Amino acid sequence: MTIHEHYPLQRLTTFDTAATARRYLRLDREVEPLLASGLLDSDYLILGGGSNIVFTRDYPGTVIQLAPNSKIKIQNSKLITGAGLQLDALVDHCVDRGLGGGIENLSAIPGTVGGAVVQNAGAYGVETGEFVDRVDALDLHERRRVTLSRQECRFAYRTSLFKEQPGRYLILEVHLRFATEYAPVLKYKALADELQRRGITSPTQRQMRDLITSIRWAKLPRPEEHGSAGSFFKNPVVDRDTYLRLRDAYPDMPEAHPTPPDNNSTFKIQNSELSYKLSAGWLIDRAGWKGRTLGRAGVWPRQALVLYNTGGCTGQDLLALAQAIQADVLNKFHVQLTPEAILI
Ligand SMILES: Cc1cc2nc3c(=O)[nH]c(=O)nc-3n(C[C@H](O)[C@H](O)[C@H](O)COP(=O)(O)OP(=O)(O)OC[C@H]3O[C@@H](n4cnc5c(N)ncnc54)[C@H](O)[C@@H]3O)c2cc1C
């Protein structure tokens, strides 16, 4: 274990704001010494690929990061990967071997496998949690190794047990399971339309991966060019009355599909209990923010859900822009936006 004092964090997150950590610890092979090190007795934060964390100030505790990991093994038809592996490298590995129908829809999401499990990262109708069989982790509160089943991980829209209890678990390894037959997941009309435009009728997994990668980078800022954390806000979930009110007032609003309040519920759901996930990007765009900048923070011109670093953006610049957008959307639509990105 090597500990660095006053460590710069700017290059460790994709938003690229300047900040330092009081201490920085990179964990290589041996992770158990962390449990007895005393570092867990004061503030600490686990950092993956830093693609969903934005430092708005210096961090006064210890930032803990797993060393990059490229270890993938197959055991009893399950694929086991270290949490420090880049998610995109895992997707590429699966596509190369024809594993994991659907996982190709997660192509080009920055960050690590561990971070994707915490956030239940998702794209194009697929979420990371769907592939998780179990997770091996250190329970940093109980100071011991634990194994958590998929059910115990409590995956839901952009959240999980790990997000509900930040700092409790350090994810070390993830066991993945896959469907045996490959079938492309085409829940998103944009994908089906693009395939049709390219004249592809039954896409291979590799074709899906290439297509998704190219669609994503056409509309998102590339981390090496402009700092961002991807979608900055969550798509807000509203009740039926709010949805109907907005739909009447804004006929151009994208249609939202109803979801029951609890997906596991066995009771008959009344209409009034249904909730609707709105497009945060549409709300921000309709409020007139797409392409605008405030200080050195901006709203990405090709995707209003993405806030980005126009160059030298500070945490305070970003917070000022995010709060201005939240206030304006609340004022215009009576809908509260909440950040998806983790603001430190
Ligand atoms: C250009 C761009 C596009 C994006 N597109 C998408 C998208 O389509 N869909 C989507 O869902 N997200 C997207 N994101 C957001 C982000 O990439 C994902 O949420 C990603 O999965 C985060 O992984 P990370 O390793 O960077 O985690 P970090 O940002 O480093 O951390 C996220 C959380 O996970 C915790 N964590 C990380 N590793 C571990 C670990 N080993 N053990 C315990 N806790 C850990 C951290 O403490 C933190 O709470 C995008 C981001 C960018 C910059």
Side-chain angles (χ1 to χ4, degrees), residues 72-95:
I72 301 181
K73 53 190 182 202
I74 306 247
Q75 217 172 62
N76 302 330
S77 76
K78 305 268 163 46
L79 189 146
I80 307 169
T81 163
L85 180 74
Q86 291 293 310
L87 177 67
D88 197 54
L90 170 70
V91 174
D92 198 55
H93 180 93
C94 292
V95 171

Side-chain angles (χ1 to χ4, degrees), residues 48-88:
S51 61
N52 218 22
I53 291 185
V54 185
F55 287 98
T56 62
R57 56 171 167 81
D58 290 341
Y59 185 68
T62 307
V63 167
I64 301 169
Q65 193 174 37
L66 292 176
N69 183 323
S70 55
K71 212 176 66 190
I72 301 181
K73 53 190 182 202
I74 306 247
Q75 217 172 62
N76 302 330
S77 76
K78 305 268 163 46
L79 189 146
I80 307 169
T81 163
L85 180 74
Q86 291 293 310
L87 177 67
D88 197 54

Side-chain angles (χ1 to χ4, degrees), residues 112-128:
T112 60
V113 172
V117 168
V118 174
Q119 301 292 99
N120 191 17
Y124 297 103
V126 172
E127 290 182 338
T128 305

Side-chain angles (χ1 to χ4, degrees), residues 18-265:
T20 54
R22 168 79 182 80
R23 279 181 228 91
Y24 170 78
L25 168 69
R26 178 170 276 214
L27 284 172
D28 290 303
R29 246 158 278 128
E30 291 296 310
V31 292
E32 261 82 6
L34 170 66
L35 298 179
S37 65
L39 289 172
L40 302 176
D41 298 332
S42 47
D43 282 354
Y44 64 87
L45 170 81
I46 301 165
L47 186 66
S51 61
N52 218 22
I53 291 185
V54 185
F55 287 98
T56 62
R57 56 171 167 81
D58 290 341
Y59 185 68
T62 307
V63 167
I64 301 169
Q65 193 174 37
L66 292 176
N69 183 323
S70 55
K71 212 176 66 190
I72 301 181
K73 53 190 182 202
I74 306 247
Q75 217 172 62
N76 302 330
S77 76
K78 305 268 163 46
L79 189 146
I80 307 169
T81 163
L85 180 74
Q86 291 293 310
L87 177 67
D88 197 54
L90 170 70
V91 174
D92 198 55
H93 180 93
C94 292
V95 171
D96 261 352
R97 285 156 187 80
L99 295 169
I103 203 167
E104 61 283 357
N105 287 28
L106 303 180
S107 289
I109 297 182
T112 60
V113 172
V117 168
V118 174
Q119 301 292 99
N120 191 17
Y124 297 103
V126 172
E127 290 182 338
T128 305
E130 292 172 36
F131 305 98
V132 172
D133 185 57
R134 58 178 237 237
V135 166
D136 293 339
L138 285 185
D139 182 333
L140 303 178
H141 290 183
E142 301 285 330
R143 312 264 166 124
R144 62 188 174 101
R145 266 187 191 259
V146 289
T147 294
L148 298 155
S149 67
R150 184 159 83 111
Q151 217 165 10
E152 288 171 312
C153 292
R154 296 167 53 84
F155 291 114
Y157 172 59
R158 298 297 175 272
T159 190
S160 67
L161 168 76
F162 312 105
K163 190 149 181 187
E164 285 168 14
Q165 299 187 24
R168 169 142 188 201
Y169 298 99
L170 172 62
I171 300 175
L172 302 173
E173 281 194 333
V174 182
H175 297 234
L176 302 156
R177 57 170 198 193
F178 301 117
T180 41
E181 299 273 309
Y182 168 68
V185 179
L186 294 169
K187 290 182 204 161
Y188 271 60
K189 193 173 169 299
L191 284 184
D193 289 351
E194 185 57 22
L195 284 170
Q196 198 180 20
R197 201 186 63 77
R198 295 184 185 198
I200 302 173
T201 44
S202 37
T204 63
Q205 206 179 3
R206 175 62 63 188
Q207 280 174 320
M208 287 294 287
R209 172 164 163 73
D210 292 346
L211 177 78
I212 285 163
T213 303
S214 69
I215 293 179
R216 285 177 63 88
W217 291 132
K219 64 173 191 190
L220 291 173
R222 284 183 179 268
E224 60 279 15
E225 289 166 11
H226 292 286
S228 86
S231 303
F232 190 83
F233 295 105
K234 284 185 186 177
N235 287 321
V237 177
V238 298
D239 60 31
R240 184 178 154 87
D241 287 350
T242 307
Y243 172 60
L244 294 181
R245 174 179 59 74
L246 286 169
R247 202 188 56 181
D248 287 348
Y250 302 97
D252 58 324
M253 187 174 80
E255 195 189 340
H257 297 287
T259 50
D262 170 0
N263 289 334
N264 298 323
S265 178

